[in-house]
Amino acid sequence: MLKKILIANRGEIAVRVMRTCREMGIATVAVYSDVDRDAFHVRYADEAYSIGGQTAAESYLNQDRIIEVITRSGADGVHPGYGFYSENADFARAVTAMGVAWIGPPPEAIEDMGDKISARKAAARGDVESVPGTTKPVQNAQEVIEFGEAYGWPITIKAAYGGGGRGMKVVNAPDEAAEALESAGREALAYFGRSEAYLEKYLTSPRHIEIQIMADTHGNVVWLGERDCSVQRRHQKLIEESPAADLSEETRTAMGEAAVKVAKATGYVNAGTIEMLYQDGEFYFLEMNTRLQVEHCVTELVTSLDLVAEQIRIASGLPLSFTQDEIVRTGHAIECRINAENSAKGFLPSPGTIHDLHIPSGPGVRWDGGYERGDTVSQYYDNLVGKLIVWAPDRDRARLRMLRALSEFEIDGLHTTIPAQKLVLEHPEFAANQHSTRWLEEKVDLSGLTSSAGSSAPADGDSSLMARDVPVEVDGRLFAVKVWLPEAPVAGVSAKKSSKPKPAAAGSGGAGGNGTITAPMQGTIVKVLVEVGQEVAAGDSLLVLEAMKMENHINAEQSGKIKELRVEAGKTVSAGDILIIIE
Ligand code: ADP
């Protein structure tokens, strides 16, 4: 068994891995950037080493520094978590070459599944059908149009090296093809260094169902169960559950067996996930994630297994501690990814310091957090604050339990996805399991949400007000009175009255009026979509601002002519900076 594991990651997943290590009597080594000197994962680790830098590229992705720390710390295993190095075959090779165990799949399997085109080919080798589409890089917009005409719109352009919803663009009609192709390529190049893209039919109301598999070095490959991750925004998961409701035992088993075939076709070892889309009783291979996933916890709760412990066993050369027949799934688990995002404002990233934090507890509740009170969720990294996971005997009780837990959750200092998650869990269509991957964005009315976690909207729906509970005693009985106060400038994401759309009559001419477009948050301008003198309509995209690994489109709030452009691509801006003036 391994004795000392370096976790080449940060945040909740680093802490998650360390917790299992501690239970197994394995020493843990953290690495940290300059920003993370006092981060939770650093405080939790037995030893911690600086790798310097601020941005992910300067710090957690600085391979040379991490390799140095592996040597210096004497770690005999490296766990990559998810993101960063988890799907980096070169890093896996470099670690293995040092005689250190890589707690993940063989580099060849990472490569096979590393790009979506070769993944589709690997699935075909395992005799598993992918979403209808191409396996060649697309060259120009004309090809996109031809594919759409042949397969029917909508279709999707997907960056072969994309991930996490980035580098993927839906095209609804021929005239969107050129801009979508460019945007998919640009995003993919910026994030993943490669811009190749291919085409897929875009399913309009699929469920995202994925199968957890595990394989050891003794030839055992098992599937542990499925997760339904259909509640998404921007093609990113927000709520996950296991089992997928209404899936027949027959289909579940067919999906599990298909997943095992895909894993075997690529010589897979360790934990992996086969993602599929499920629509009208049919399932299609989407991609394989060659790592532990964010949502692995729901599988842990229904199977009572510790996937990290199993990963470590496998990397130590031991066989899986269970067989396919011994896997027993009971009850229902739901996970909410608590992200630092403002649900009331289109899930705008909301970095900041956590001034106060109350974590729910009680029966069936688990919290996998990356931060504690006083910690800062930095703009440089992923905005996942932590994951709240509940277990109950059936789906409806799990749903109610999650609502109860969310009602206990209090966080002060930044916005979170909690208001949206509550709305989803209370929604009759979610309760009746009638949602699909586009449901949240297309069917759920998020406009009434307020910025503060856990509050319903005030009557006028003014999202620049924040709800606060104030205790009031009346005749010896305590009441919590909700008061809507002007929103405090939270983490640089302040609700500017001036940026709210005004009635059409406002026209031009108002000094410093609503034609002044300011940065809603700190970030980098990746693209300017307009020029001085250009006429724009309300709602048109003006700029693309990137922050916390997300591209945010900044739109015109009124129609008019671009009078002044104060930024260019590549420029870093702070919240409140004036970007564009429209007259
Ligand atoms: P990523 O690697 O960016 O996560 P995926 O291929 O896994 O990309 O897709 C992410 C999500 O996008 C899926 O869960 C699903 O909601 C949606 N999606 C991807 N491909 C399609 C498709 N062909 N049709 C409909 N939805 C899709």
Side-chain angles (χ1 to χ4, degrees), residues 116 131 156 158 162-166 168 198 200-204 206 208 229 232 235-237 275 277 286-287 289 437:
K116 293 183 199 277
V131 181
T156 170
K158 277 188 165 180
R166 282 177 291 272
M168 169 176 167
Y198 70 102
E200 255 177 33
K201 168 112 191 86
Y202 190 72
L203 305 180
T204 45
H208 173 116
C229 314
Q232 305 182 350
H235 298 123
Q236 291 179 331
K237 300 161 188 166
E275 296 192 331
L277 288 183
L286 189 58
E287 64 167 358
N289 290 315
T437 54

PDB file of all heavy atoms in Angstrom, residues 116 131 156 158 162-166 168 198 200-204 206 208 229 232 235-237 275 277 286-287 289 437, ligand 1:
ATOM      1  N   LYS A 116     -12.247  14.149 -28.038  1.00  0.00           N
ATOM      2  CA  LYS A 116     -13.574  13.581 -28.235  1.00  0.00           C
ATOM      3  C   LYS A 116     -13.663  12.773 -29.532  1.00  0.00           C
ATOM      4  O   LYS A 116     -14.461  11.852 -29.627  1.00  0.00           O
ATOM      5  CB  LYS A 116     -14.618  14.687 -28.206  1.00  0.00           C
ATOM      6  CG  LYS A 116     -14.756  15.334 -26.822  1.00  0.00           C
ATOM      7  CD  LYS A 116     -15.843  16.381 -26.821  1.00  0.00           C
ATOM      8  CE  LYS A 116     -15.714  17.352 -25.672  1.00  0.00           C
ATOM      9  NZ  LYS A 116     -16.270  16.927 -24.416  1.00  0.00           N
ATOM     10  N   VAL A 131     -23.277   9.513 -30.083  1.00  0.00           N
ATOM     11  CA  VAL A 131     -24.256  10.451 -30.632  1.00  0.00           C
ATOM     12  C   VAL A 131     -23.938  10.595 -32.125  1.00  0.00           C
ATOM     13  O   VAL A 131     -22.765  10.750 -32.484  1.00  0.00           O
ATOM     14  CB  VAL A 131     -24.137  11.835 -29.944  1.00  0.00           C
ATOM     15  CG1 VAL A 131     -25.174  12.800 -30.505  1.00  0.00           C
ATOM     16  CG2 VAL A 131     -24.297  11.705 -28.438  1.00  0.00           C
ATOM     17  N   THR A 156     -24.445  20.502 -33.025  1.00  0.00           N
ATOM     18  CA  THR A 156     -23.471  21.156 -32.158  1.00  0.00           C
ATOM     19  C   THR A 156     -22.058  21.010 -32.706  1.00  0.00           C
ATOM     20  O   THR A 156     -21.707  19.975 -33.266  1.00  0.00           O
ATOM     21  CB  THR A 156     -23.555  20.652 -30.689  1.00  0.00           C
ATOM     22  OG1 THR A 156     -22.440  21.139 -29.961  1.00  0.00           O
ATOM     23  CG2 THR A 156     -23.581  19.159 -30.588  1.00  0.00           C
ATOM     24  N   LYS A 158     -18.346  20.820 -31.635  1.00  0.00           N
ATOM     25  CA  LYS A 158     -17.642  20.503 -30.393  1.00  0.00           C
ATOM     26  C   LYS A 158     -16.144  20.486 -30.610  1.00  0.00           C
ATOM     27  O   LYS A 158     -15.650  19.787 -31.489  1.00  0.00           O
ATOM     28  CB  LYS A 158     -18.061  19.115 -29.915  1.00  0.00           C
ATOM     29  CG  LYS A 158     -19.330  19.095 -29.151  1.00  0.00           C
ATOM     30  CD  LYS A 158     -19.479  17.710 -28.592  1.00  0.00           C
ATOM     31  CE  LYS A 158     -20.511  17.655 -27.532  1.00  0.00           C
ATOM     32  NZ  LYS A 158     -20.633  16.293 -27.018  1.00  0.00           N
ATOM     33  N   GLY A 162     -12.190  20.003 -26.103  1.00  0.00           N
ATOM     34  CA  GLY A 162     -12.976  20.809 -25.163  1.00  0.00           C
ATOM     35  C   GLY A 162     -13.349  20.022 -23.916  1.00  0.00           C
ATOM     36  O   GLY A 162     -13.096  18.823 -23.812  1.00  0.00           O
ATOM     37  N   GLY A 163     -13.961  20.707 -22.976  1.00  0.00           N
ATOM     38  CA  GLY A 163     -14.404  20.049 -21.752  1.00  0.00           C
ATOM     39  C   GLY A 163     -15.167  21.016 -20.879  1.00  0.00           C
ATOM     40  O   GLY A 163     -15.032  22.237 -21.039  1.00  0.00           O
ATOM     41  N   GLY A 164     -15.967  20.452 -19.977  1.00  0.00           N
ATOM     42  CA  GLY A 164     -16.717  21.295 -19.049  1.00  0.00           C
ATOM     43  C   GLY A 164     -17.644  22.268 -19.763  1.00  0.00           C
ATOM     44  O   GLY A 164     -17.907  23.353 -19.271  1.00  0.00           O
ATOM     45  N   GLY A 165     -18.145  21.871 -20.924  1.00  0.00           N
ATOM     46  CA  GLY A 165     -19.076  22.727 -21.667  1.00  0.00           C
ATOM     47  C   GLY A 165     -18.374  23.804 -22.490  1.00  0.00           C
ATOM     48  O   GLY A 165     -19.006  24.502 -23.258  1.00  0.00           O
ATOM     49  N   ARG A 166     -17.059  23.924 -22.325  1.00  0.00           N
ATOM     50  CA  ARG A 166     -16.349  24.938 -23.098  1.00  0.00           C
ATOM     51  C   ARG A 166     -15.905  24.370 -24.444  1.00  0.00           C
ATOM     52  O   ARG A 166     -15.575  23.198 -24.556  1.00  0.00           O
ATOM     53  CB  ARG A 166     -15.138  25.443 -22.319  1.00  0.00           C
ATOM     54  CG  ARG A 166     -15.545  26.424 -21.234  1.00  0.00           C
ATOM     55  CD  ARG A 166     -14.360  26.872 -20.421  1.00  0.00           C
ATOM     56  NE  ARG A 166     -13.877  25.769 -19.615  1.00  0.00           N
ATOM     57  CZ  ARG A 166     -14.338  25.488 -18.417  1.00  0.00           C
ATOM     58  NH1 ARG A 166     -15.280  26.198 -17.892  1.00  0.00           N
ATOM     59  NH2 ARG A 166     -13.856  24.468 -17.730  1.00  0.00           N
ATOM     60  N   MET A 168     -17.912  24.229 -26.933  1.00  0.00           N
ATOM     61  CA  MET A 168     -19.064  23.546 -27.510  1.00  0.00           C
ATOM     62  C   MET A 168     -20.133  24.589 -27.836  1.00  0.00           C
ATOM     63  O   MET A 168     -20.496  25.390 -26.988  1.00  0.00           O
ATOM     64  CB  MET A 168     -19.589  22.558 -26.480  1.00  0.00           C
ATOM     65  CG  MET A 168     -20.922  21.987 -26.855  1.00  0.00           C
ATOM     66  SD  MET A 168     -21.428  20.744 -25.668  1.00  0.00           S
ATOM     67  CE  MET A 168     -23.129  20.617 -26.190  1.00  0.00           C
ATOM     68  N   TYR A 198     -15.416  19.055 -34.206  1.00  0.00           N
ATOM     69  CA  TYR A 198     -16.173  18.134 -35.068  1.00  0.00           C
ATOM     70  C   TYR A 198     -17.663  18.399 -34.836  1.00  0.00           C
ATOM     71  O   TYR A 198     -18.030  19.284 -34.047  1.00  0.00           O
ATOM     72  CB  TYR A 198     -15.790  16.676 -34.785  1.00  0.00           C
ATOM     73  CG  TYR A 198     -16.284  16.197 -33.453  1.00  0.00           C
ATOM     74  CD1 TYR A 198     -17.408  15.379 -33.353  1.00  0.00           C
ATOM     75  CD2 TYR A 198     -15.647  16.590 -32.278  1.00  0.00           C
ATOM     76  CE1 TYR A 198     -17.884  14.972 -32.118  1.00  0.00           C
ATOM     77  CE2 TYR A 198     -16.123  16.183 -31.049  1.00  0.00           C
ATOM     78  CZ  TYR A 198     -17.238  15.370 -30.970  1.00  0.00           C
ATOM     79  OH  TYR A 198     -17.720  14.980 -29.767  1.00  0.00           O
ATOM     80  N   GLU A 200     -21.783  17.139 -34.178  1.00  0.00           N
ATOM     81  CA  GLU A 200     -22.681  16.128 -33.627  1.00  0.00           C
ATOM     82  C   GLU A 200     -24.104  16.610 -33.790  1.00  0.00           C
ATOM     83  O   GLU A 200     -24.362  17.814 -33.714  1.00  0.00           O
ATOM     84  CB  GLU A 200     -22.437  16.000 -32.112  1.00  0.00           C
ATOM     85  CG  GLU A 200     -21.693  14.783 -31.703  1.00  0.00           C
ATOM     86  CD  GLU A 200     -21.426  14.744 -30.202  1.00  0.00           C
ATOM     87  OE1 GLU A 200     -22.252  15.237 -29.397  1.00  0.00           O
ATOM     88  OE2 GLU A 200     -20.362  14.232 -29.831  1.00  0.00           O
ATOM     89  N   LYS A 201     -25.012  15.678 -33.923  1.00  0.00           N
ATOM     90  CA  LYS A 201     -26.421  16.033 -33.870  1.00  0.00           C
ATOM     91  C   LYS A 201     -26.685  16.535 -32.448  1.00  0.00           C
ATOM     92  O   LYS A 201     -26.165  15.988 -31.484  1.00  0.00           O
ATOM     93  CB  LYS A 201     -27.253  14.781 -34.166  1.00  0.00           C
ATOM     94  CG  LYS A 201     -28.712  14.907 -33.879  1.00  0.00           C
ATOM     95  CD  LYS A 201     -29.520  14.886 -35.168  1.00  0.00           C
ATOM     96  CE  LYS A 201     -30.959  15.289 -34.918  1.00  0.00           C
ATOM     97  NZ  LYS A 201     -31.190  16.731 -34.959  1.00  0.00           N
ATOM     98  N   TYR A 202     -27.461  17.611 -32.321  1.00  0.00           N
ATOM     99  CA  TYR A 202     -27.761  18.113 -30.979  1.00  0.00           C
ATOM    100  C   TYR A 202     -29.121  17.564 -30.550  1.00  0.00           C
ATOM    101  O   TYR A 202     -30.145  17.866 -31.174  1.00  0.00           O
ATOM    102  CB  TYR A 202     -27.767  19.649 -30.983  1.00  0.00           C
ATOM    103  CG  TYR A 202     -27.841  20.216 -29.591  1.00  0.00           C
ATOM    104  CD1 TYR A 202     -26.747  20.135 -28.741  1.00  0.00           C
ATOM    105  CD2 TYR A 202     -29.002  20.812 -29.131  1.00  0.00           C
ATOM    106  CE1 TYR A 202     -26.810  20.637 -27.459  1.00  0.00           C
ATOM    107  CE2 TYR A 202     -29.073  21.320 -27.844  1.00  0.00           C
ATOM    108  CZ  TYR A 202     -27.972  21.232 -27.015  1.00  0.00           C
ATOM    109  OH  TYR A 202     -28.034  21.723 -25.739  1.00  0.00           O
ATOM    110  N   LEU A 203     -29.112  16.737 -29.533  1.00  0.00           N
ATOM    111  CA  LEU A 203     -30.377  16.152 -29.055  1.00  0.00           C
ATOM    112  C   LEU A 203     -31.113  17.233 -28.257  1.00  0.00           C
ATOM    113  O   LEU A 203     -30.506  17.936 -27.461  1.00  0.00           O
ATOM    114  CB  LEU A 203     -30.103  14.930 -28.174  1.00  0.00           C
ATOM    115  CG  LEU A 203     -29.247  13.824 -28.810  1.00  0.00           C
ATOM    116  CD1 LEU A 203     -29.053  12.667 -27.835  1.00  0.00           C
ATOM    117  CD2 LEU A 203     -29.869  13.310 -30.095  1.00  0.00           C
ATOM    118  N   THR A 204     -32.412  17.349 -28.479  1.00  0.00           N
ATOM    119  CA  THR A 204     -33.105  18.501 -27.895  1.00  0.00           C
ATOM    120  C   THR A 204     -33.583  18.293 -26.465  1.00  0.00           C
ATOM    121  O   THR A 204     -33.701  19.250 -25.711  1.00  0.00           O
ATOM    122  CB  THR A 204     -34.285  18.950 -28.777  1.00  0.00           C
ATOM    123  OG1 THR A 204     -34.994  17.787 -29.158  1.00  0.00           O
ATOM    124  CG2 THR A 204     -33.801  19.693 -29.996  1.00  0.00           C
ATOM    125  N   PRO A 206     -32.366  15.512 -24.093  1.00  0.00           N
ATOM    126  CA  PRO A 206     -31.769  14.290 -23.544  1.00  0.00           C
ATOM    127  C   PRO A 206     -31.589  14.369 -22.033  1.00  0.00           C
ATOM    128  O   PRO A 206     -31.638  15.449 -21.446  1.00  0.00           O
ATOM    129  CB  PRO A 206     -30.402  14.272 -24.221  1.00  0.00           C
ATOM    130  CG  PRO A 206     -30.045  15.721 -24.345  1.00  0.00           C
ATOM    131  CD  PRO A 206     -31.349  16.457 -24.558  1.00  0.00           C
ATOM    132  N   HIS A 208     -28.686  13.507 -19.258  1.00  0.00           N
ATOM    133  CA  HIS A 208     -27.266  13.169 -19.169  1.00  0.00           C
ATOM    134  C   HIS A 208     -27.157  12.083 -18.106  1.00  0.00           C
ATOM    135  O   HIS A 208     -27.397  12.333 -16.931  1.00  0.00           O
ATOM    136  CB  HIS A 208     -26.454  14.406 -18.771  1.00  0.00           C
ATOM    137  CG  HIS A 208     -25.016  14.111 -18.494  1.00  0.00           C
ATOM    138  ND1 HIS A 208     -23.989  14.626 -19.241  1.00  0.00           N
ATOM    139  CD2 HIS A 208     -24.433  13.327 -17.545  1.00  0.00           C
ATOM    140  CE1 HIS A 208     -22.840  14.168 -18.758  1.00  0.00           C
ATOM    141  NE2 HIS A 208     -23.083  13.384 -17.719  1.00  0.00           N
ATOM    142  N   CYS A 229     -27.184  13.568 -14.425  1.00  0.00           N
ATOM    143  CA  CYS A 229     -26.649  14.941 -14.254  1.00  0.00           C
ATOM    144  C   CYS A 229     -27.338  15.864 -15.246  1.00  0.00           C
ATOM    145  O   CYS A 229     -26.695  16.651 -15.950  1.00  0.00           O
ATOM    146  CB  CYS A 229     -25.152  14.963 -14.493  1.00  0.00           C
ATOM    147  SG  CYS A 229     -24.257  13.642 -13.673  1.00  0.00           S
ATOM    148  N   GLN A 232     -28.460  21.253 -15.663  1.00  0.00           N
ATOM    149  CA  GLN A 232     -27.246  21.939 -16.094  1.00  0.00           C
ATOM    150  C   GLN A 232     -27.549  23.374 -16.476  1.00  0.00           C
ATOM    151  O   GLN A 232     -28.654  23.707 -16.851  1.00  0.00           O
ATOM    152  CB  GLN A 232     -26.650  21.251 -17.329  1.00  0.00           C
ATOM    153  CG  GLN A 232     -26.383  19.774 -17.156  1.00  0.00           C
ATOM    154  CD  GLN A 232     -25.741  19.136 -18.384  1.00  0.00           C
ATOM    155  OE1 GLN A 232     -25.643  19.743 -19.441  1.00  0.00           O
ATOM    156  NE2 GLN A 232     -25.288  17.905 -18.226  1.00  0.00           N
ATOM    157  N   HIS A 235     -24.288  23.959 -20.133  1.00  0.00           N
ATOM    158  CA  HIS A 235     -23.751  22.607 -20.300  1.00  0.00           C
ATOM    159  C   HIS A 235     -22.849  22.213 -19.147  1.00  0.00           C
ATOM    160  O   HIS A 235     -21.985  21.356 -19.286  1.00  0.00           O
ATOM    161  CB  HIS A 235     -23.013  22.445 -21.636  1.00  0.00           C
ATOM    162  CG  HIS A 235     -23.908  22.663 -22.812  1.00  0.00           C
ATOM    163  ND1 HIS A 235     -23.677  23.593 -23.778  1.00  0.00           N
ATOM    164  CD2 HIS A 235     -25.084  22.080 -23.145  1.00  0.00           C
ATOM    165  CE1 HIS A 235     -24.656  23.569 -24.655  1.00  0.00           C
ATOM    166  NE2 HIS A 235     -25.528  22.669 -24.294  1.00  0.00           N
ATOM    167  N   GLN A 236     -23.062  22.836 -18.006  1.00  0.00           N
ATOM    168  CA  GLN A 236     -22.304  22.442 -16.825  1.00  0.00           C
ATOM    169  C   GLN A 236     -23.279  21.970 -15.764  1.00  0.00           C
ATOM    170  O   GLN A 236     -24.342  22.548 -15.585  1.00  0.00           O
ATOM    171  CB  GLN A 236     -21.480  23.618 -16.308  1.00  0.00           C
ATOM    172  CG  GLN A 236     -20.364  23.978 -17.262  1.00  0.00           C
ATOM    173  CD  GLN A 236     -19.550  25.153 -16.766  1.00  0.00           C
ATOM    174  OE1 GLN A 236     -20.049  26.012 -16.053  1.00  0.00           O
ATOM    175  NE2 GLN A 236     -18.299  25.185 -17.153  1.00  0.00           N
ATOM    176  N   LYS A 237     -22.849  20.927 -15.049  1.00  0.00           N
ATOM    177  CA  LYS A 237     -23.757  20.293 -14.099  1.00  0.00           C
ATOM    178  C   LYS A 237     -23.968  21.144 -12.845  1.00  0.00           C
ATOM    179  O   LYS A 237     -23.040  21.773 -12.355  1.00  0.00           O
ATOM    180  CB  LYS A 237     -23.164  18.935 -13.699  1.00  0.00           C
ATOM    181  CG  LYS A 237     -22.997  18.009 -14.896  1.00  0.00           C
ATOM    182  CD  LYS A 237     -22.007  16.887 -14.611  1.00  0.00           C
ATOM    183  CE  LYS A 237     -21.726  16.106 -15.883  1.00  0.00           C
ATOM    184  NZ  LYS A 237     -20.542  15.234 -15.743  1.00  0.00           N
ATOM    185  N   GLU A 275     -19.811   8.900 -19.975  1.00  0.00           N
ATOM    186  CA  GLU A 275     -20.966   9.789 -20.052  1.00  0.00           C
ATOM    187  C   GLU A 275     -21.804   9.419 -21.266  1.00  0.00           C
ATOM    188  O   GLU A 275     -21.262   9.174 -22.349  1.00  0.00           O
ATOM    189  CB  GLU A 275     -20.511  11.248 -20.187  1.00  0.00           C
ATOM    190  CG  GLU A 275     -19.749  11.738 -18.977  1.00  0.00           C
ATOM    191  CD  GLU A 275     -19.556  13.254 -18.967  1.00  0.00           C
ATOM    192  OE1 GLU A 275     -19.490  13.855 -20.062  1.00  0.00           O
ATOM    193  OE2 GLU A 275     -19.474  13.823 -17.880  1.00  0.00           O
ATOM    194  N   LEU A 277     -25.751  10.189 -23.374  1.00  0.00           N
ATOM    195  CA  LEU A 277     -26.997  10.936 -23.473  1.00  0.00           C
ATOM    196  C   LEU A 277     -28.097   9.908 -23.667  1.00  0.00           C
ATOM    197  O   LEU A 277     -27.924   8.938 -24.410  1.00  0.00           O
ATOM    198  CB  LEU A 277     -26.965  11.925 -24.634  1.00  0.00           C
ATOM    199  CG  LEU A 277     -26.061  13.143 -24.441  1.00  0.00           C
ATOM    200  CD1 LEU A 277     -26.167  14.086 -25.625  1.00  0.00           C
ATOM    201  CD2 LEU A 277     -26.379  13.888 -23.146  1.00  0.00           C
ATOM    202  N   LEU A 286     -21.186   9.545 -25.066  1.00  0.00           N
ATOM    203  CA  LEU A 286     -20.859  10.961 -25.249  1.00  0.00           C
ATOM    204  C   LEU A 286     -19.342  11.150 -25.117  1.00  0.00           C
ATOM    205  O   LEU A 286     -18.687  11.651 -26.000  1.00  0.00           O
ATOM    206  CB  LEU A 286     -21.603  11.778 -24.194  1.00  0.00           C
ATOM    207  CG  LEU A 286     -21.590  13.287 -24.293  1.00  0.00           C
ATOM    208  CD1 LEU A 286     -22.150  13.757 -25.619  1.00  0.00           C
ATOM    209  CD2 LEU A 286     -22.410  13.882 -23.141  1.00  0.00           C
ATOM    210  N   GLU A 287     -18.806  10.746 -23.998  1.00  0.00           N
ATOM    211  CA  GLU A 287     -17.354  10.795 -23.801  1.00  0.00           C
ATOM    212  C   GLU A 287     -17.002  10.036 -22.534  1.00  0.00           C
ATOM    213  O   GLU A 287     -17.883   9.658 -21.762  1.00  0.00           O
ATOM    214  CB  GLU A 287     -16.869  12.240 -23.692  1.00  0.00           C
ATOM    215  CG  GLU A 287     -17.408  12.973 -22.488  1.00  0.00           C
ATOM    216  CD  GLU A 287     -16.675  14.286 -22.219  1.00  0.00           C
ATOM    217  OE1 GLU A 287     -15.728  14.611 -22.947  1.00  0.00           O
ATOM    218  OE2 GLU A 287     -17.046  14.965 -21.262  1.00  0.00           O
ATOM    219  N   ASN A 289     -14.670  10.316 -19.077  1.00  0.00           N
ATOM    220  CA  ASN A 289     -13.803  11.124 -18.224  1.00  0.00           C
ATOM    221  C   ASN A 289     -12.864  10.187 -17.486  1.00  0.00           C
ATOM    222  O   ASN A 289     -13.306   9.336 -16.714  1.00  0.00           O
ATOM    223  CB  ASN A 289     -14.617  11.959 -17.257  1.00  0.00           C
ATOM    224  CG  ASN A 289     -15.348  13.065 -17.993  1.00  0.00           C
ATOM    225  OD1 ASN A 289     -14.777  13.742 -18.840  1.00  0.00           O
ATOM    226  ND2 ASN A 289     -16.613  13.239 -17.696  1.00  0.00           N
ATOM    227  N   THR A 437     -31.577  18.129 -20.107  1.00  0.00           N
ATOM    228  CA  THR A 437     -30.383  18.969 -19.925  1.00  0.00           C
ATOM    229  C   THR A 437     -30.610  20.458 -20.208  1.00  0.00           C
ATOM    230  O   THR A 437     -29.872  21.292 -19.712  1.00  0.00           O
ATOM    231  CB  THR A 437     -29.221  18.491 -20.827  1.00  0.00           C
ATOM    232  OG1 THR A 437     -29.700  18.444 -22.174  1.00  0.00           O
ATOM    233  CG2 THR A 437     -28.741  17.123 -20.424  1.00  0.00           C
TER     234      THR A 437
HETATM  235  P1  ADP B   1     -17.792  18.542 -21.891  1.00  0.00           P
HETATM  236  O1  ADP B   1     -16.568  17.749 -22.134  1.00  0.00           O
HETATM  237  O2  ADP B   1     -17.679  19.965 -22.255  1.00  0.00           O
HETATM  238  O3  ADP B   1     -18.415  18.298 -20.563  1.00  0.00           O
HETATM  239  P2  ADP B   1     -19.752  16.915 -23.105  1.00  0.00           P
HETATM  240  O4  ADP B   1     -19.608  16.299 -24.436  1.00  0.00           O
HETATM  241  O5  ADP B   1     -19.605  16.023 -21.938  1.00  0.00           O
HETATM  242  O6  ADP B   1     -18.770  18.111 -23.010  1.00  0.00           O
HETATM  243  O7  ADP B   1     -21.116  17.665 -22.998  1.00  0.00           O
HETATM  244  C1  ADP B   1     -21.519  18.374 -21.863  1.00  0.00           C
HETATM  245  C2  ADP B   1     -23.015  18.511 -21.842  1.00  0.00           C
HETATM  246  O8  ADP B   1     -23.459  19.127 -23.044  1.00  0.00           O
HETATM  247  C3  ADP B   1     -23.781  17.203 -21.795  1.00  0.00           C
HETATM  248  O9  ADP B   1     -24.025  16.803 -20.507  1.00  0.00           O
HETATM  249  C4  ADP B   1     -25.087  17.568 -22.475  1.00  0.00           C
HETATM  250  O10 ADP B   1     -25.914  18.255 -21.600  1.00  0.00           O
HETATM  251  C5  ADP B   1     -24.660  18.537 -23.513  1.00  0.00           C
HETATM  252  N1  ADP B   1     -24.421  17.867 -24.813  1.00  0.00           N
HETATM  253  C6  ADP B   1     -23.243  17.459 -25.309  1.00  0.00           C
HETATM  254  N2  ADP B   1     -23.401  16.932 -26.530  1.00  0.00           N
HETATM  255  C7  ADP B   1     -24.695  17.019 -26.825  1.00  0.00           C
HETATM  256  C8  ADP B   1     -25.494  16.637 -27.951  1.00  0.00           C
HETATM  257  N3  ADP B   1     -24.962  16.091 -29.030  1.00  0.00           N
HETATM  258  N4  ADP B   1     -26.821  16.863 -27.889  1.00  0.00           N
HETATM  259  C9  ADP B   1     -27.370  17.441 -26.793  1.00  0.00           C
HETATM  260  N5  ADP B   1     -26.678  17.822 -25.709  1.00  0.00           N
HETATM  261  C10 ADP B   1     -25.361  17.616 -25.721  1.00  0.00           C
END
